[in-house]
Amino acid sequence: MSSSELEIQKAADGQKEQQVPAGAEITGAKEPEADTNTSTKADQDFAAAEQYKNQGNAMLKTKEFSKAIDMYTKAIELHPNSAIYYANRSLAHLRQESFGYALQDGVSAVKADPAYLKGYYRRAAAHMSLGKFKQALCDFEFVAKCRPNDKDAKLKFTECNKIVKMRAFERAIAVDKPEKTLSEMYRDMENITIEDDYKGPQLEDGKVTLKFMKELMEHYKGQKRLHRKFAYKILCEIDAYMRAQPSLVDITVPDEEKFTICGDIHGQFYDLMNIFEINGLPSEKNPYLFNGDFVDRGSFSVECIFTLFGFKLLYPNHFFLSRGNHESINMNQMYGFTGEVTAKYTSAMADIFTQVFNWLPLCHCINQKILVMHGGLFSTDNVTLDNIRRIERNCQPPEEGLMCELLWSDPQLWMGRGPSKRGVGIQFGPDVTETFCKNNNLDYIIRSHEVKDMGYEVAHNGQCITVFSAPNYCDTMGNMGAFITITGNNLKPNYKSFEAVPHPDVKPMAYANSLMNWLA
């Protein structure tokens, strides 16, 4: 018997007395066997740790994830050998999208008790969230072998195996060929017939107009679809436009004129409509910048992206879009956008979005004083705006480097740099922000990427501002959304917070990969 088989046998033996369904919530821990040498203090520590764990479980159920993490951390400090404490904290980190921390706790849970299979699920969930499907498959395979009669464990392994094989097939059939525009690739789309019973908005001579945009938004509010002919046409036009844009777009806001910066939308179409209701429709006199993560999680991502693309075509010099970490194939396949596009249109259109997203600019510089990116700053101090301008962005986000860090990094309260809580990018402190701004003659940076209670947060002595525009994120977080306004001659940021509005009864993640819903 090999060493891996011995490990499986050991884990399986340990599970004979502990058959916990894969999706069950953990509410109790098995107390260590009595030891005549165990001190009273050890007993007290364990009892206190259990109390902290129970409090953490209660907070997890009420979606107070930060508080739950604090409780589990206190439990671990008192009783550091409990796999359950690590696994529960891993789940809280997953809910906060801190995938790097979730992975660390999943690893710790497995080390603390190799027979505790929930630890393998947590580790697999973190690996999948990071797009590391082969590593996740190893854990699913391990659990399936330990539980040969568990249909749920077998199903998770089967589904993950499908993803791994699909990725391998996509790589195998990929060939190097000259890059073509969407218009060149989909010329036959011009011949798509518009059915007689279609009563929705139509492009005028193939162009987006204000009338079209107003009709499109009302059409979407009624949960109707834009005809595929016009959807393809918008994608072809956006593809052609974005190819000509630089990786860093310079924006000039004239004196006295207002400019609005919005953060993540994440497929929350009705909240996007509320932003326009509060702040006015985009126009040449009311310009906007949307700072990435337009899609995924929310189940109206198609409506969001065509609305945003439509306004970009209507007002190309007064409406701006930055790429976020969710404008990527890994995120889209896992968190719902690919599934939604396929359900509402076709899988071929989902592939087209992948190509279009590759050409989205990575950041914007407003009046040479404010740099706006989705994620954050860099692992070195010598990065200049010209370095950013030279980034070759027509690709999927890499796992390291300037492009990765622009899309994934987060600020931290303490000085210096640290590993990312997400497992991708870095964390950067106030000194890093100050140095970057000084070196590039900037006043401050604006980024998004993180849920904030009021929809925004000012950090790093006012030089790092986070804006997040998806209120009650995923219908669970209870946060407000926000947007920022400035004027050309007064770059002081003004903040407007707003609450979520009702939406049709389609739950977030409705189109997401089934494994992500199971693992949550």
Side-chain angles (χ1 to χ4, degrees), residues 45-90:
D45 286 349
F46 179 76
E50 281 292 282
Q51 289 184 347
Y52 284 131
K53 181 211 68 180
N54 292 335
Q55 292 176 51
N57 290 348
M59 291 169 178
L60 195 63
K61 290 178 180 178
T62 57
K63 301 178 176 64
E64 299 174 275
F65 302 125
S66 294
K67 293 180 180 179
I69 289 168
D70 290 341
M71 292 299 105
Y72 294 136
T73 299
K74 290 179 179 179
I76 289 168
E77 289 171 351
L78 290 170
H79 192 68
N81 297 318
S82 171
I84 290 173
Y85 301 166
Y86 287 111
N88 285 12
R89 191 171 69 175
S90 178

mmCIF file of all heavy atoms in Angstrom, residues 45-90:
data_model
loop_
_atom_site.group_PDB
_atom_site.id
_atom_site.type_symbol
_atom_site.label_atom_id
_atom_site.label_comp_id
_atom_site.label_asym_id
_atom_site.label_seq_id
_atom_site.Cartn_x
_atom_site.Cartn_y
_atom_site.Cartn_z
ATOM 1 N N ASP A 45 -9.359 26.738 28.894
ATOM 2 C CA ASP A 45 -9.075 27.289 27.576
ATOM 3 C C ASP A 45 -9.959 26.658 26.511
ATOM 4 O O ASP A 45 -10.487 27.349 25.629
ATOM 5 C CB ASP A 45 -7.600 27.082 27.217
ATOM 6 C CG ASP A 45 -6.675 28.022 27.972
ATOM 7 O OD1 ASP A 45 -7.183 28.965 28.605
ATOM 8 O OD2 ASP A 45 -5.447 27.797 27.918
ATOM 9 N N PHE A 46 -10.120 25.332 26.609
ATOM 10 C CA PHE A 46 -10.956 24.649 25.626
ATOM 11 C C PHE A 46 -12.411 25.104 25.734
ATOM 12 O O PHE A 46 -13.082 25.355 24.725
ATOM 13 C CB PHE A 46 -10.869 23.132 25.797
ATOM 14 C CG PHE A 46 -11.732 22.380 24.811
ATOM 15 C CD1 PHE A 46 -11.336 22.237 23.491
ATOM 16 C CD2 PHE A 46 -12.954 21.840 25.190
ATOM 17 C CE1 PHE A 46 -12.125 21.567 22.572
ATOM 18 C CE2 PHE A 46 -13.757 21.166 24.281
ATOM 19 C CZ PHE A 46 -13.332 21.026 22.958
ATOM 20 N N ALA A 47 -12.904 25.232 26.950
ATOM 21 C CA ALA A 47 -14.286 25.686 27.145
ATOM 22 C C ALA A 47 -14.476 27.099 26.600
ATOM 23 O O ALA A 47 -15.486 27.408 25.944
ATOM 24 C CB ALA A 47 -14.643 25.634 28.629
ATOM 25 N N ALA A 48 -13.500 27.960 26.862
ATOM 26 C CA ALA A 48 -13.587 29.326 26.350
ATOM 27 C C ALA A 48 -13.511 29.342 24.824
ATOM 28 O O ALA A 48 -14.224 30.110 24.156
ATOM 29 C CB ALA A 48 -12.466 30.177 26.941
ATOM 30 N N ALA A 49 -12.651 28.490 24.267
ATOM 31 C CA ALA A 49 -12.535 28.409 22.811
ATOM 32 C C ALA A 49 -13.855 27.972 22.179
ATOM 33 O O ALA A 49 -14.267 28.497 21.139
ATOM 34 C CB ALA A 49 -11.411 27.441 22.432
ATOM 35 N N GLU A 50 -14.525 27.032 22.811
ATOM 36 C CA GLU A 50 -15.825 26.576 22.305
ATOM 37 C C GLU A 50 -16.853 27.705 22.324
ATOM 38 O O GLU A 50 -17.677 27.836 21.415
ATOM 39 C CB GLU A 50 -16.323 25.389 23.137
ATOM 40 C CG GLU A 50 -15.660 24.071 22.766
ATOM 41 C CD GLU A 50 -16.079 23.613 21.380
ATOM 42 O OE1 GLU A 50 -17.198 23.080 21.240
ATOM 43 O OE2 GLU A 50 -15.301 23.797 20.431
ATOM 44 N N GLN A 51 -16.796 28.517 23.360
ATOM 45 C CA GLN A 51 -17.715 29.655 23.430
ATOM 46 C C GLN A 51 -17.437 30.641 22.291
ATOM 47 O O GLN A 51 -18.373 31.139 21.648
ATOM 48 C CB GLN A 51 -17.591 30.356 24.783
ATOM 49 C CG GLN A 51 -18.161 29.554 25.948
ATOM 50 C CD GLN A 51 -18.102 30.328 27.258
ATOM 51 O OE1 GLN A 51 -17.433 31.360 27.355
ATOM 52 N NE2 GLN A 51 -18.806 29.838 28.267
ATOM 53 N N TYR A 52 -16.159 30.926 22.052
ATOM 54 C CA TYR A 52 -15.811 31.817 20.942
ATOM 55 C C TYR A 52 -16.263 31.224 19.608
ATOM 56 O O TYR A 52 -16.777 31.939 18.738
ATOM 57 C CB TYR A 52 -14.301 32.060 20.908
ATOM 58 C CG TYR A 52 -13.808 33.026 21.961
ATOM 59 C CD1 TYR A 52 -12.717 32.707 22.772
ATOM 60 C CD2 TYR A 52 -14.412 34.270 22.135
ATOM 61 C CE1 TYR A 52 -12.245 33.600 23.739
ATOM 62 C CE2 TYR A 52 -13.956 35.163 23.098
ATOM 63 C CZ TYR A 52 -12.864 34.821 23.893
ATOM 64 O OH TYR A 52 -12.410 35.705 24.828
ATOM 65 N N LYS A 53 -16.069 29.921 19.454
ATOM 66 C CA LYS A 53 -16.488 29.278 18.211
ATOM 67 C C LYS A 53 -17.995 29.385 18.021
ATOM 68 O O LYS A 53 -18.475 29.706 16.919
ATOM 69 C CB LYS A 53 -16.079 27.811 18.213
ATOM 70 C CG LYS A 53 -16.458 27.061 16.922
ATOM 71 C CD LYS A 53 -16.749 25.603 17.180
ATOM 72 C CE LYS A 53 -18.027 25.481 17.998
ATOM 73 N NZ LYS A 53 -18.367 24.075 18.275
ATOM 74 N N ASN A 54 -18.762 29.156 19.085
ATOM 75 C CA ASN A 54 -20.223 29.248 18.987
ATOM 76 C C ASN A 54 -20.667 30.668 18.645
ATOM 77 O O ASN A 54 -21.608 30.862 17.867
ATOM 78 C CB ASN A 54 -20.859 28.778 20.291
ATOM 79 C CG ASN A 54 -20.676 27.292 20.523
ATOM 80 O OD1 ASN A 54 -20.499 26.521 19.566
ATOM 81 N ND2 ASN A 54 -20.699 26.862 21.774
ATOM 82 N N GLN A 55 -19.985 31.648 19.225
ATOM 83 C CA GLN A 55 -20.290 33.037 18.875
ATOM 84 C C GLN A 55 -19.953 33.310 17.411
ATOM 85 O O GLN A 55 -20.706 33.999 16.700
ATOM 86 C CB GLN A 55 -19.506 33.987 19.780
ATOM 87 C CG GLN A 55 -19.941 33.976 21.240
ATOM 88 C CD GLN A 55 -19.062 34.872 22.094
ATOM 89 O OE1 GLN A 55 -18.838 36.038 21.764
ATOM 90 N NE2 GLN A 55 -18.557 34.337 23.184
ATOM 91 N N GLY A 56 -18.833 32.759 16.962
ATOM 92 C CA GLY A 56 -18.460 32.911 15.565
ATOM 93 C C GLY A 56 -19.487 32.286 14.633
ATOM 94 O O GLY A 56 -19.846 32.870 13.604
ATOM 95 N N ASN A 57 -19.996 31.115 15.004
ATOM 96 C CA ASN A 57 -21.022 30.454 14.183
ATOM 97 C C ASN A 57 -22.284 31.303 14.082
ATOM 98 O O ASN A 57 -22.897 31.417 13.018
ATOM 99 C CB ASN A 57 -21.358 29.089 14.767
ATOM 100 C CG ASN A 57 -20.230 28.086 14.597
ATOM 101 O OD1 ASN A 57 -19.281 28.326 13.859
ATOM 102 N ND2 ASN A 57 -20.331 26.960 15.288
ATOM 103 N N ALA A 58 -22.660 31.908 15.218
ATOM 104 C CA ALA A 58 -23.855 32.755 15.221
ATOM 105 C C ALA A 58 -23.647 33.966 14.314
ATOM 106 O O ALA A 58 -24.550 34.369 13.563
ATOM 107 C CB ALA A 58 -24.175 33.204 16.649
ATOM 108 N N MET A 59 -22.461 34.551 14.365
ATOM 109 C CA MET A 59 -22.178 35.718 13.527
ATOM 110 C C MET A 59 -22.067 35.334 12.058
ATOM 111 O O MET A 59 -22.431 36.116 11.174
ATOM 112 C CB MET A 59 -20.888 36.384 14.004
ATOM 113 C CG MET A 59 -21.040 37.046 15.357
ATOM 114 S SD MET A 59 -19.470 37.558 16.075
ATOM 115 C CE MET A 59 -20.053 38.326 17.603
ATOM 116 N N LEU A 60 -21.593 34.132 11.788
ATOM 117 C CA LEU A 60 -21.535 33.657 10.409
ATOM 118 C C LEU A 60 -22.938 33.569 9.825
ATOM 119 O O LEU A 60 -23.186 33.945 8.671
ATOM 120 C CB LEU A 60 -20.843 32.294 10.366
ATOM 121 C CG LEU A 60 -20.356 31.781 9.010
ATOM 122 C CD1 LEU A 60 -19.293 32.683 8.414
ATOM 123 C CD2 LEU A 60 -19.821 30.363 9.138
ATOM 124 N N LYS A 61 -23.875 33.100 10.636
ATOM 125 C CA LYS A 61 -25.253 32.953 10.159
ATOM 126 C C LYS A 61 -25.917 34.296 9.913
ATOM 127 O O LYS A 61 -26.779 34.419 9.039
ATOM 128 C CB LYS A 61 -26.063 32.146 11.176
ATOM 129 C CG LYS A 61 -25.669 30.673 11.235
ATOM 130 C CD LYS A 61 -26.463 29.922 12.286
ATOM 131 C CE LYS A 61 -26.057 28.461 12.334
ATOM 132 N NZ LYS A 61 -26.783 27.709 13.400
ATOM 133 N N THR A 62 -25.520 35.325 10.676
ATOM 134 C CA THR A 62 -26.076 36.664 10.481
ATOM 135 C C THR A 62 -25.232 37.494 9.527
ATOM 136 O O THR A 62 -25.417 38.700 9.405
ATOM 137 C CB THR A 62 -26.223 37.400 11.828
ATOM 138 O OG1 THR A 62 -24.955 37.455 12.491
ATOM 139 C CG2 THR A 62 -27.219 36.689 12.720
ATOM 140 N N LYS A 63 -24.274 36.847 8.872
ATOM 141 C CA LYS A 63 -23.436 37.463 7.835
ATOM 142 C C LYS A 63 -22.538 38.567 8.378
ATOM 143 O O LYS A 63 -22.146 39.478 7.646
ATOM 144 C CB LYS A 63 -24.302 37.976 6.690
ATOM 145 C CG LYS A 63 -25.133 36.880 6.031
ATOM 146 C CD LYS A 63 -26.018 37.413 4.932
ATOM 147 C CE LYS A 63 -26.756 36.285 4.239
ATOM 148 N NZ LYS A 63 -27.685 35.572 5.130
ATOM 149 N N GLU A 64 -22.184 38.476 9.663
ATOM 150 C CA GLU A 64 -21.200 39.392 10.246
ATOM 151 C C GLU A 64 -19.833 38.717 10.155
ATOM 152 O O GLU A 64 -19.266 38.256 11.140
ATOM 153 C CB GLU A 64 -21.567 39.713 11.695
ATOM 154 C CG GLU A 64 -22.911 40.399 11.861
ATOM 155 C CD GLU A 64 -23.307 40.565 13.311
ATOM 156 O OE1 GLU A 64 -23.887 39.605 13.875
ATOM 157 O OE2 GLU A 64 -23.034 41.630 13.894
ATOM 158 N N PHE A 65 -19.292 38.686 8.941
ATOM 159 C CA PHE A 65 -18.144 37.837 8.672
ATOM 160 C C PHE A 65 -16.871 38.305 9.383
ATOM 161 O O PHE A 65 -16.099 37.487 9.872
ATOM 162 C CB PHE A 65 -17.916 37.752 7.158
ATOM 163 C CG PHE A 65 -19.119 37.231 6.408
ATOM 164 C CD1 PHE A 65 -19.676 37.946 5.368
ATOM 165 C CD2 PHE A 65 -19.700 36.025 6.765
ATOM 166 C CE1 PHE A 65 -20.781 37.471 4.685
ATOM 167 C CE2 PHE A 65 -20.815 35.542 6.092
ATOM 168 C CZ PHE A 65 -21.355 36.268 5.049
ATOM 169 N N SER A 66 -16.647 39.596 9.447
ATOM 170 C CA SER A 66 -15.444 40.092 10.134
ATOM 171 C C SER A 66 -15.475 39.742 11.609
ATOM 172 O O SER A 66 -14.462 39.327 12.191
ATOM 173 C CB SER A 66 -15.319 41.606 9.947
ATOM 174 O OG SER A 66 -15.083 41.930 8.596
ATOM 175 N N LYS A 67 -16.636 39.894 12.219
ATOM 176 C CA LYS A 67 -16.769 39.550 13.637
ATOM 177 C C LYS A 67 -16.626 38.039 13.851
ATOM 178 O O LYS A 67 -16.038 37.600 14.843
ATOM 179 C CB LYS A 67 -18.105 40.043 14.182
ATOM 180 C CG LYS A 67 -18.224 41.562 14.244
ATOM 181 C CD LYS A 67 -19.575 41.989 14.795
ATOM 182 C CE LYS A 67 -19.688 43.518 14.864
ATOM 183 N NZ LYS A 67 -21.004 43.951 15.376
ATOM 184 N N ALA A 68 -17.160 37.264 12.924
ATOM 185 C CA ALA A 68 -17.023 35.808 13.023
ATOM 186 C C ALA A 68 -15.553 35.415 12.949
ATOM 187 O O ALA A 68 -15.089 34.560 13.723
ATOM 188 C CB ALA A 68 -17.814 35.131 11.897
ATOM 189 N N ILE A 69 -14.812 36.052 12.050
ATOM 190 C CA ILE A 69 -13.374 35.765 11.937
ATOM 191 C C ILE A 69 -12.662 36.088 13.243
ATOM 192 O O ILE A 69 -11.797 35.328 13.705
ATOM 193 C CB ILE A 69 -12.775 36.560 10.761
ATOM 194 C CG1 ILE A 69 -13.269 35.973 9.427
ATOM 195 C CG2 ILE A 69 -11.249 36.548 10.806
ATOM 196 C CD1 ILE A 69 -12.981 36.844 8.225
ATOM 197 N N ASP A 70 -13.027 37.193 13.867
ATOM 198 C CA ASP A 70 -12.408 37.560 15.149
ATOM 199 C C ASP A 70 -12.673 36.489 16.209
ATOM 200 O O ASP A 70 -11.772 36.137 16.991
ATOM 201 C CB ASP A 70 -12.945 38.907 15.634
ATOM 202 C CG ASP A 70 -12.455 40.067 14.789
ATOM 203 O OD1 ASP A 70 -11.441 39.886 14.085
ATOM 204 O OD2 ASP A 70 -13.079 41.145 14.828
ATOM 205 N N MET A 71 -13.901 35.974 16.240
ATOM 206 C CA MET A 71 -14.245 34.949 17.241
ATOM 207 C C MET A 71 -13.478 33.649 16.992
ATOM 208 O O MET A 71 -12.940 33.041 17.920
ATOM 209 C CB MET A 71 -15.754 34.687 17.220
ATOM 210 C CG MET A 71 -16.611 35.844 17.723
ATOM 211 S SD MET A 71 -16.276 36.275 19.454
ATOM 212 C CE MET A 71 -15.330 37.784 19.214
ATOM 213 N N TYR A 72 -13.419 33.227 15.745
ATOM 214 C CA TYR A 72 -12.675 31.999 15.430
ATOM 215 C C TYR A 72 -11.187 32.169 15.731
ATOM 216 O O TYR A 72 -10.519 31.235 16.185
ATOM 217 C CB TYR A 72 -12.875 31.617 13.961
ATOM 218 C CG TYR A 72 -14.281 31.231 13.601
ATOM 219 C CD1 TYR A 72 -14.873 31.708 12.430
ATOM 220 C CD2 TYR A 72 -15.041 30.390 14.418
ATOM 221 C CE1 TYR A 72 -16.178 31.357 12.080
ATOM 222 C CE2 TYR A 72 -16.349 30.041 14.077
ATOM 223 C CZ TYR A 72 -16.905 30.531 12.910
ATOM 224 O OH TYR A 72 -18.182 30.186 12.579
ATOM 225 N N THR A 73 -10.669 33.364 15.483
ATOM 226 C CA THR A 73 -9.259 33.628 15.774
ATOM 227 C C THR A 73 -8.987 33.499 17.269
ATOM 228 O O THR A 73 -7.970 32.911 17.682
ATOM 229 C CB THR A 73 -8.869 35.031 15.287
ATOM 230 O OG1 THR A 73 -9.075 35.093 13.859
ATOM 231 C CG2 THR A 73 -7.408 35.335 15.595
ATOM 232 N N LYS A 74 -9.885 34.015 18.087
ATOM 233 C CA LYS A 74 -9.725 33.890 19.539
ATOM 234 C C LYS A 74 -9.789 32.422 19.964
ATOM 235 O O LYS A 74 -9.049 31.992 20.848
ATOM 236 C CB LYS A 74 -10.792 34.708 20.253
ATOM 237 C CG LYS A 74 -10.596 36.212 20.117
ATOM 238 C CD LYS A 74 -11.702 36.993 20.820
ATOM 239 C CE LYS A 74 -11.459 38.502 20.694
ATOM 240 N NZ LYS A 74 -12.519 39.292 21.346
ATOM 241 N N ALA A 75 -10.674 31.668 19.332
ATOM 242 C CA ALA A 75 -10.772 30.238 19.643
ATOM 243 C C ALA A 75 -9.477 29.525 19.279
ATOM 244 O O ALA A 75 -8.980 28.677 20.037
ATOM 245 C CB ALA A 75 -11.959 29.626 18.890
ATOM 246 N N ILE A 76 -8.911 29.872 18.122
ATOM 247 C CA ILE A 76 -7.665 29.238 17.676
ATOM 248 C C ILE A 76 -6.512 29.592 18.608
ATOM 249 O O ILE A 76 -5.651 28.747 18.904
ATOM 250 C CB ILE A 76 -7.361 29.647 16.219
ATOM 251 C CG1 ILE A 76 -8.369 28.974 15.266
ATOM 252 C CG2 ILE A 76 -5.932 29.273 15.823
ATOM 253 C CD1 ILE A 76 -8.347 29.529 13.866
ATOM 254 N N GLU A 77 -6.482 30.818 19.080
ATOM 255 C CA GLU A 77 -5.412 31.226 20.001
ATOM 256 C C GLU A 77 -5.438 30.402 21.291
ATOM 257 O O GLU A 77 -4.392 30.079 21.851
ATOM 258 C CB GLU A 77 -5.553 32.710 20.322
ATOM 259 C CG GLU A 77 -5.190 33.616 19.143
ATOM 260 C CD GLU A 77 -5.539 35.071 19.401
ATOM 261 O OE1 GLU A 77 -6.214 35.346 20.435
ATOM 262 O OE2 GLU A 77 -5.150 35.924 18.586
ATOM 263 N N LEU A 78 -6.623 30.041 21.739
ATOM 264 C CA LEU A 78 -6.751 29.253 22.960
ATOM 265 C C LEU A 78 -6.579 27.761 22.710
ATOM 266 O O LEU A 78 -6.092 27.025 23.585
ATOM 267 C CB LEU A 78 -8.121 29.508 23.604
ATOM 268 C CG LEU A 78 -8.330 30.900 24.213
ATOM 269 C CD1 LEU A 78 -9.801 31.090 24.583
ATOM 270 C CD2 LEU A 78 -7.449 31.085 25.454
ATOM 271 N N HIS A 79 -6.988 27.300 21.542
ATOM 272 C CA HIS A 79 -6.956 25.857 21.235
ATOM 273 C C HIS A 79 -6.534 25.690 19.777
ATOM 274 O O HIS A 79 -7.370 25.489 18.888
ATOM 275 C CB HIS A 79 -8.345 25.266 21.483
ATOM 276 C CG HIS A 79 -8.366 23.761 21.486
ATOM 277 N ND1 HIS A 79 -7.765 22.994 22.463
ATOM 278 C CD2 HIS A 79 -8.929 22.886 20.623
ATOM 279 C CE1 HIS A 79 -7.959 21.714 22.203
ATOM 280 N NE2 HIS A 79 -8.658 21.629 21.090
ATOM 281 N N PRO A 80 -5.238 25.785 19.497
ATOM 282 C CA PRO A 80 -4.755 25.875 18.115
ATOM 283 C C PRO A 80 -4.752 24.585 17.320
ATOM 284 O O PRO A 80 -4.328 24.590 16.159
ATOM 285 C CB PRO A 80 -3.325 26.394 18.294
ATOM 286 C CG PRO A 80 -2.914 25.910 19.648
ATOM 287 C CD PRO A 80 -4.155 25.931 20.491
ATOM 288 N N ASN A 81 -5.211 23.485 17.895
ATOM 289 C CA ASN A 81 -5.159 22.207 17.184
ATOM 290 C C ASN A 81 -6.523 21.731 16.699
ATOM 291 O O ASN A 81 -6.688 20.552 16.375
ATOM 292 C CB ASN A 81 -4.521 21.137 18.083
ATOM 293 C CG ASN A 81 -3.077 21.476 18.426
ATOM 294 O OD1 ASN A 81 -2.317 21.929 17.572
ATOM 295 N ND2 ASN A 81 -2.700 21.268 19.688
ATOM 296 N N SER A 82 -7.499 22.632 16.652
ATOM 297 C CA SER A 82 -8.844 22.245 16.222
ATOM 298 C C SER A 82 -9.030 22.504 14.736
ATOM 299 O O SER A 82 -9.004 23.649 14.281
ATOM 300 C CB SER A 82 -9.902 23.019 17.011
ATOM 301 O OG SER A 82 -11.187 22.804 16.450
ATOM 302 N N ALA A 83 -9.223 21.450 13.979
ATOM 303 C CA ALA A 83 -9.466 21.595 12.543
ATOM 304 C C ALA A 83 -10.766 22.347 12.279
ATOM 305 O O ALA A 83 -10.878 23.091 11.302
ATOM 306 C CB ALA A 83 -9.519 20.215 11.887
ATOM 307 N N ILE A 84 -11.745 22.182 13.161
ATOM 308 C CA ILE A 84 -13.052 22.811 12.973
ATOM 309 C C ILE A 84 -12.925 24.330 13.018
ATOM 310 O O ILE A 84 -13.522 25.045 12.211
ATOM 311 C CB ILE A 84 -14.053 22.311 14.024
ATOM 312 C CG1 ILE A 84 -14.400 20.852 13.725
ATOM 313 C CG2 ILE A 84 -15.318 23.160 14.035
ATOM 314 C CD1 ILE A 84 -15.250 20.194 14.787
ATOM 315 N N TYR A 85 -12.143 24.842 13.955
ATOM 316 C CA TYR A 85 -11.991 26.292 14.068
ATOM 317 C C TYR A 85 -11.389 26.862 12.785
ATOM 318 O O TYR A 85 -11.832 27.901 12.279
ATOM 319 C CB TYR A 85 -11.105 26.659 15.260
ATOM 320 C CG TYR A 85 -11.595 26.187 16.615
ATOM 321 C CD1 TYR A 85 -10.746 26.201 17.720
ATOM 322 C CD2 TYR A 85 -12.891 25.726 16.797
ATOM 323 C CE1 TYR A 85 -11.171 25.774 18.962
ATOM 324 C CE2 TYR A 85 -13.334 25.284 18.036
ATOM 325 C CZ TYR A 85 -12.459 25.308 19.121
ATOM 326 O OH TYR A 85 -12.893 24.881 20.358
ATOM 327 N N TYR A 86 -10.365 26.197 12.273
ATOM 328 C CA TYR A 86 -9.741 26.672 11.038
ATOM 329 C C TYR A 86 -10.710 26.583 9.856
ATOM 330 O O TYR A 86 -10.790 27.494 9.026
ATOM 331 C CB TYR A 86 -8.487 25.859 10.720
ATOM 332 C CG TYR A 86 -7.306 26.153 11.618
ATOM 333 C CD1 TYR A 86 -6.847 25.203 12.528
ATOM 334 C CD2 TYR A 86 -6.646 27.377 11.551
ATOM 335 C CE1 TYR A 86 -5.760 25.457 13.352
ATOM 336 C CE2 TYR A 86 -5.558 27.644 12.367
ATOM 337 C CZ TYR A 86 -5.118 26.688 13.270
ATOM 338 O OH TYR A 86 -4.043 26.950 14.081
ATOM 339 N N ALA A 87 -11.457 25.494 9.777
ATOM 340 C CA ALA A 87 -12.388 25.311 8.652
ATOM 341 C C ALA A 87 -13.500 26.346 8.685
ATOM 342 O O ALA A 87 -13.900 26.886 7.646
ATOM 343 C CB ALA A 87 -12.974 23.901 8.681
ATOM 344 N N ASN A 88 -14.004 26.643 9.891
ATOM 345 C CA ASN A 88 -15.068 27.638 9.991
ATOM 346 C C ASN A 88 -14.545 29.036 9.646
ATOM 347 O O ASN A 88 -15.224 29.826 8.990
ATOM 348 C CB ASN A 88 -15.669 27.623 11.394
ATOM 349 C CG ASN A 88 -16.574 26.417 11.618
ATOM 350 O OD1 ASN A 88 -16.584 25.499 10.815
ATOM 351 N ND2 ASN A 88 -17.319 26.424 12.703
ATOM 352 N N ARG A 89 -13.325 29.344 10.104
ATOM 353 C CA ARG A 89 -12.759 30.653 9.751
ATOM 354 C C ARG A 89 -12.488 30.733 8.254
ATOM 355 O O ARG A 89 -12.644 31.787 7.637
ATOM 356 C CB ARG A 89 -11.478 30.905 10.541
ATOM 357 C CG ARG A 89 -10.991 32.355 10.425
ATOM 358 C CD ARG A 89 -9.852 32.656 11.375
ATOM 359 N NE ARG A 89 -8.612 31.955 11.015
ATOM 360 C CZ ARG A 89 -7.446 32.131 11.634
ATOM 361 N NH1 ARG A 89 -7.360 32.989 12.656
ATOM 362 N NH2 ARG A 89 -6.372 31.467 11.253
ATOM 363 N N SER A 90 -12.092 29.622 7.660
ATOM 364 C CA SER A 90 -11.885 29.580 6.215
ATOM 365 C C SER A 90 -13.172 29.938 5.476
ATOM 366 O O SER A 90 -13.143 30.694 4.493
ATOM 367 C CB SER A 90 -11.401 28.191 5.787
ATOM 368 O OG SER A 90 -11.235 28.120 4.385
#
